[in-house]
PDB file of all heavy atoms in Angstrom:
ATOM      1  N   SER A 187      24.669  -7.776-119.647  1.00 96.00           N
ATOM      2  CA  SER A 187      24.454  -9.181-120.012  1.00 96.00           C
ATOM      3  C   SER A 187      22.966  -9.415-120.232  1.00 96.00           C
ATOM      4  O   SER A 187      22.125  -8.636-119.774  1.00 96.00           O
ATOM      5  CB  SER A 187      24.973 -10.118-118.918  1.00 96.00           C
ATOM      6  OG  SER A 187      24.244  -9.922-117.709  1.00 96.00           O
ATOM      7  N   VAL A 188      22.674 -10.482-120.953  1.00 97.00           N
ATOM      8  CA  VAL A 188      21.288 -10.892-121.188  1.00 97.00           C
ATOM      9  C   VAL A 188      21.206 -12.404-121.054  1.00 97.00           C
ATOM     10  O   VAL A 188      22.203 -13.111-121.152  1.00 97.00           O
ATOM     11  CB  VAL A 188      20.794 -10.468-122.592  1.00 97.00           C
ATOM     12  CG1 VAL A 188      20.660  -8.958-122.698  1.00 97.00           C
ATOM     13  CG2 VAL A 188      21.714 -10.998-123.680  1.00 97.00           C
ATOM     14  N   SER A 189      20.011 -12.896-120.867  1.00 97.00           N
ATOM     15  CA  SER A 189      19.797 -14.336-120.734  1.00 97.00           C
ATOM     16  C   SER A 189      19.875 -15.026-122.095  1.00 97.00           C
ATOM     17  O   SER A 189      19.562 -14.426-123.123  1.00 97.00           O
ATOM     18  CB  SER A 189      18.426 -14.602-120.103  1.00 97.00           C
ATOM     19  OG  SER A 189      18.130 -15.996-120.122  1.00 97.00           O
ATOM     20  N   ILE A 190      20.300 -16.271-122.084  1.00 97.00           N
ATOM     21  CA  ILE A 190      20.294 -17.083-123.308  1.00 97.00           C
ATOM     22  C   ILE A 190      19.286 -18.234-123.188  1.00 97.00           C
ATOM     23  O   ILE A 190      19.309 -19.157-123.988  1.00 97.00           O
ATOM     24  CB  ILE A 190      21.694 -17.645-123.629  1.00 97.00           C
ATOM     25  CG1 ILE A 190      22.161 -18.613-122.528  1.00 97.00           C
ATOM     26  CG2 ILE A 190      22.704 -16.518-123.823  1.00 97.00           C
ATOM     27  CD1 ILE A 190      23.405 -19.408-122.902  1.00 97.00           C
ATOM     28  N   GLN A 191      18.404 -18.150-122.201  1.00 97.00           N
ATOM     29  CA  GLN A 191      17.418 -19.212-121.970  1.00 97.00           C
ATOM     30  C   GLN A 191      16.020 -18.690-122.269  1.00 97.00           C
ATOM     31  O   GLN A 191      15.369 -18.116-121.400  1.00 97.00           O
ATOM     32  CB  GLN A 191      17.513 -19.716-120.521  1.00 97.00           C
ATOM     33  CG  GLN A 191      18.865 -20.295-120.144  1.00 97.00           C
ATOM     34  CD  GLN A 191      19.213 -21.546-120.959  1.00 97.00           C
ATOM     35  OE1 GLN A 191      18.330 -22.273-121.385  1.00 97.00           O
ATOM     36  NE2 GLN A 191      20.495 -21.770-121.171  1.00 97.00           N
ATOM     37  N   PRO A 192      15.521 -18.864-123.484  1.00 96.00           N
ATOM     38  CA  PRO A 192      14.176 -18.367-123.809  1.00 96.00           C
ATOM     39  C   PRO A 192      13.096 -19.222-123.183  1.00 96.00           C
ATOM     40  O   PRO A 192      13.305 -20.418-122.922  1.00 96.00           O
ATOM     41  CB  PRO A 192      14.135 -18.482-125.341  1.00 96.00           C
ATOM     42  CG  PRO A 192      15.072 -19.601-125.644  1.00 96.00           C
ATOM     43  CD  PRO A 192      16.176 -19.507-124.630  1.00 96.00           C
ATOM     44  N   PRO A 193      11.925 -18.643-122.922  1.00 94.00           N
ATOM     45  CA  PRO A 193      10.786 -19.441-122.444  1.00 94.00           C
ATOM     46  C   PRO A 193      10.413 -20.504-123.477  1.00 94.00           C
ATOM     47  O   PRO A 193      10.708 -20.364-124.670  1.00 94.00           O
ATOM     48  CB  PRO A 193       9.668 -18.403-122.292  1.00 94.00           C
ATOM     49  CG  PRO A 193      10.373 -17.087-122.202  1.00 94.00           C
ATOM     50  CD  PRO A 193      11.605 -17.215-123.030  1.00 94.00           C
ATOM     51  N   ALA A 194       9.752 -21.521-123.041  1.00 90.00           N
ATOM     52  CA  ALA A 194       9.430 -22.650-123.914  1.00 90.00           C
ATOM     53  C   ALA A 194       8.602 -22.229-125.121  1.00 90.00           C
ATOM     54  O   ALA A 194       8.765 -22.764-126.215  1.00 90.00           O
ATOM     55  CB  ALA A 194       8.700 -23.730-123.121  1.00 90.00           C
ATOM     56  N   ASN A 195       7.689 -21.281-124.945  1.00 92.00           N
ATOM     57  CA  ASN A 195       6.793 -20.893-126.033  1.00 92.00           C
ATOM     58  C   ASN A 195       7.268 -19.645-126.782  1.00 92.00           C
ATOM     59  O   ASN A 195       6.518 -19.079-127.584  1.00 92.00           O
ATOM     60  CB  ASN A 195       5.382 -20.654-125.491  1.00 92.00           C
ATOM     61  CG  ASN A 195       5.344 -19.545-124.440  1.00 92.00           C
ATOM     62  OD1 ASN A 195       6.398 -19.103-123.975  1.00 92.00           O
ATOM     63  ND2 ASN A 195       4.154 -19.103-124.073  1.00 92.00           N
ATOM     64  N   TRP A 196       8.496 -19.208-126.541  1.00 96.00           N
ATOM     65  CA  TRP A 196       8.995 -17.981-127.160  1.00 96.00           C
ATOM     66  C   TRP A 196       9.308 -18.205-128.633  1.00 96.00           C
ATOM     67  O   TRP A 196       9.830 -19.253-129.025  1.00 96.00           O
ATOM     68  CB  TRP A 196      10.242 -17.507-126.439  1.00 96.00           C
ATOM     69  CG  TRP A 196      10.915 -16.327-127.095  1.00 96.00           C
ATOM     70  CD1 TRP A 196      10.573 -15.022-126.965  1.00 96.00           C
ATOM     71  CD2 TRP A 196      12.039 -16.374-127.975  1.00 96.00           C
ATOM     72  NE1 TRP A 196      11.422 -14.238-127.720  1.00 96.00           N
ATOM     73  CE2 TRP A 196      12.316 -15.047-128.348  1.00 96.00           C
ATOM     74  CE3 TRP A 196      12.821 -17.411-128.484  1.00 96.00           C
ATOM     75  CZ2 TRP A 196      13.362 -14.719-129.206  1.00 96.00           C
ATOM     76  CZ3 TRP A 196      13.854 -17.096-129.349  1.00 96.00           C
ATOM     77  CH2 TRP A 196      14.114 -15.757-129.696  1.00 96.00           C
ATOM     78  N   GLN A 197       8.980 -17.200-129.456  1.00 96.00           N
ATOM     79  CA  GLN A 197       9.321 -17.215-130.874  1.00 96.00           C
ATOM     80  C   GLN A 197       9.998 -15.903-131.233  1.00 96.00           C
ATOM     81  O   GLN A 197       9.541 -14.832-130.823  1.00 96.00           O
ATOM     82  CB  GLN A 197       8.063 -17.397-131.735  1.00 96.00           C
ATOM     83  CG  GLN A 197       7.385 -18.755-131.586  1.00 96.00           C
ATOM     84  CD  GLN A 197       8.288 -19.903-132.027  1.00 96.00           C
ATOM     85  OE1 GLN A 197       9.083 -19.750-132.951  1.00 96.00           O
ATOM     86  NE2 GLN A 197       8.166 -21.036-131.357  1.00 96.00           N
ATOM     87  N   PRO A 198      11.076 -15.939-132.005  1.00 96.00           N
ATOM     88  CA  PRO A 198      11.793 -14.708-132.349  1.00 96.00           C
ATOM     89  C   PRO A 198      11.001 -13.839-133.311  1.00 96.00           C
ATOM     90  O   PRO A 198      10.217 -14.332-134.121  1.00 96.00           O
ATOM     91  CB  PRO A 198      13.082 -15.221-133.012  1.00 96.00           C
ATOM     92  CG  PRO A 198      12.704 -16.561-133.562  1.00 96.00           C
ATOM     93  CD  PRO A 198      11.722 -17.138-132.582  1.00 96.00           C
ATOM     94  N   SER A 199      11.209 -12.537-133.231  1.00 95.00           N
ATOM     95  CA  SER A 199      10.560 -11.590-134.129  1.00 95.00           C
ATOM     96  C   SER A 199      11.292 -11.548-135.464  1.00 95.00           C
ATOM     97  O   SER A 199      12.411 -12.060-135.613  1.00 95.00           O
ATOM     98  CB  SER A 199      10.565 -10.192-133.510  1.00 95.00           C
ATOM     99  OG  SER A 199      11.899  -9.703-133.424  1.00 95.00           O
ATOM    100  N   ARG A 200      10.661 -10.918-136.449  1.00 94.00           N
ATOM    101  CA  ARG A 200      11.292 -10.751-137.755  1.00 94.00           C
ATOM    102  C   ARG A 200      12.570  -9.922-137.630  1.00 94.00           C
ATOM    103  O   ARG A 200      13.567 -10.197-138.299  1.00 94.00           O
ATOM    104  CB  ARG A 200      10.331 -10.070-138.724  1.00 94.00           C
ATOM    105  CG  ARG A 200       9.139 -10.918-139.152  1.00 94.00           C
ATOM    106  CD  ARG A 200       8.231 -10.129-140.073  1.00 94.00           C
ATOM    107  NE  ARG A 200       8.948  -9.706-141.275  1.00 94.00           N
ATOM    108  CZ  ARG A 200       8.626  -8.647-142.006  1.00 94.00           C
ATOM    109  NH1 ARG A 200       7.628  -7.863-141.628  1.00 94.00           N
ATOM    110  NH2 ARG A 200       9.313  -8.351-143.091  1.00 94.00           N
ATOM    111  N   GLU A 201      12.528  -8.899-136.773  1.00 93.00           N
ATOM    112  CA  GLU A 201      13.708  -8.070-136.576  1.00 93.00           C
ATOM    113  C   GLU A 201      14.876  -8.905-136.046  1.00 93.00           C
ATOM    114  O   GLU A 201      16.019  -8.766-136.503  1.00 93.00           O
ATOM    115  CB  GLU A 201      13.410  -6.939-135.583  1.00 93.00           C
ATOM    116  CG  GLU A 201      12.418  -5.902-136.087  1.00 93.00           C
ATOM    117  CD  GLU A 201      10.971  -6.273-135.812  1.00 93.00           C
ATOM    118  OE1 GLU A 201      10.706  -7.425-135.394  1.00 93.00           O
ATOM    119  OE2 GLU A 201      10.103  -5.422-136.005  1.00 93.00           O
ATOM    120  N   THR A 202      14.578  -9.776-135.102  1.00 96.00           N
ATOM    121  CA  THR A 202      15.613 -10.619-134.508  1.00 96.00           C
ATOM    122  C   THR A 202      16.203 -11.566-135.544  1.00 96.00           C
ATOM    123  O   THR A 202      17.427 -11.737-135.625  1.00 96.00           O
ATOM    124  CB  THR A 202      15.018 -11.425-133.341  1.00 96.00           C
ATOM    125  OG1 THR A 202      14.502 -10.522-132.364  1.00 96.00           O
ATOM    126  CG2 THR A 202      16.071 -12.301-132.693  1.00 96.00           C
ATOM    127  N   LEU A 203      15.356 -12.194-136.338  1.00 96.00           N
ATOM    128  CA  LEU A 203      15.826 -13.108-137.372  1.00 96.00           C
ATOM    129  C   LEU A 203      16.692 -12.386-138.395  1.00 96.00           C
ATOM    130  O   LEU A 203      17.718 -12.917-138.849  1.00 96.00           O
ATOM    131  CB  LEU A 203      14.633 -13.777-138.063  1.00 96.00           C
ATOM    132  CG  LEU A 203      13.843 -14.766-137.196  1.00 96.00           C
ATOM    133  CD1 LEU A 203      12.523 -15.138-137.876  1.00 96.00           C
ATOM    134  CD2 LEU A 203      14.671 -16.024-136.929  1.00 96.00           C
ATOM    135  N   ALA A 204      16.294 -11.162-138.759  1.00 94.00           N
ATOM    136  CA  ALA A 204      17.064 -10.392-139.731  1.00 94.00           C
ATOM    137  C   ALA A 204      18.447 -10.051-139.193  1.00 94.00           C
ATOM    138  O   ALA A 204      19.450 -10.147-139.912  1.00 94.00           O
ATOM    139  CB  ALA A 204      16.312  -9.114-140.101  1.00 94.00           C
ATOM    140  N   ILE A 205      18.522  -9.668-137.922  1.00 95.00           N
ATOM    141  CA  ILE A 205      19.816  -9.329-137.332  1.00 95.00           C
ATOM    142  C   ILE A 205      20.708 -10.563-137.239  1.00 95.00           C
ATOM    143  O   ILE A 205      21.897 -10.513-137.550  1.00 95.00           O
ATOM    144  CB  ILE A 205      19.627  -8.690-135.942  1.00 95.00           C
ATOM    145  CG1 ILE A 205      19.214  -7.227-136.108  1.00 95.00           C
ATOM    146  CG2 ILE A 205      20.898  -8.771-135.119  1.00 95.00           C
ATOM    147  CD1 ILE A 205      19.226  -6.424-134.838  1.00 95.00           C
ATOM    148  N   GLN A 206      20.147 -11.690-136.809  1.00 95.00           N
ATOM    149  CA  GLN A 206      20.966 -12.904-136.712  1.00 95.00           C
ATOM    150  C   GLN A 206      21.546 -13.263-138.077  1.00 95.00           C
ATOM    151  O   GLN A 206      22.723 -13.643-138.188  1.00 95.00           O
ATOM    152  CB  GLN A 206      20.146 -14.075-136.177  1.00 95.00           C
ATOM    153  CG  GLN A 206      21.006 -15.322-135.909  1.00 95.00           C
ATOM    154  CD  GLN A 206      20.177 -16.553-135.635  1.00 95.00           C
ATOM    155  OE1 GLN A 206      19.266 -16.888-136.403  1.00 95.00           O
ATOM    156  NE2 GLN A 206      20.473 -17.249-134.543  1.00 95.00           N
TER     157      GLN A 206
END
Side-chain angles (χ1 to χ4, degrees):
S187 63
V188 292
S189 173
I190 64 169
Q191 300 297 331
N195 60 349
W196 174 82
Q197 293 298 326
S199 67
R200 290 178 60 206
E201 293 87 350
T202 301
L203 291 168
I205 282 190
Q206 187 191 51

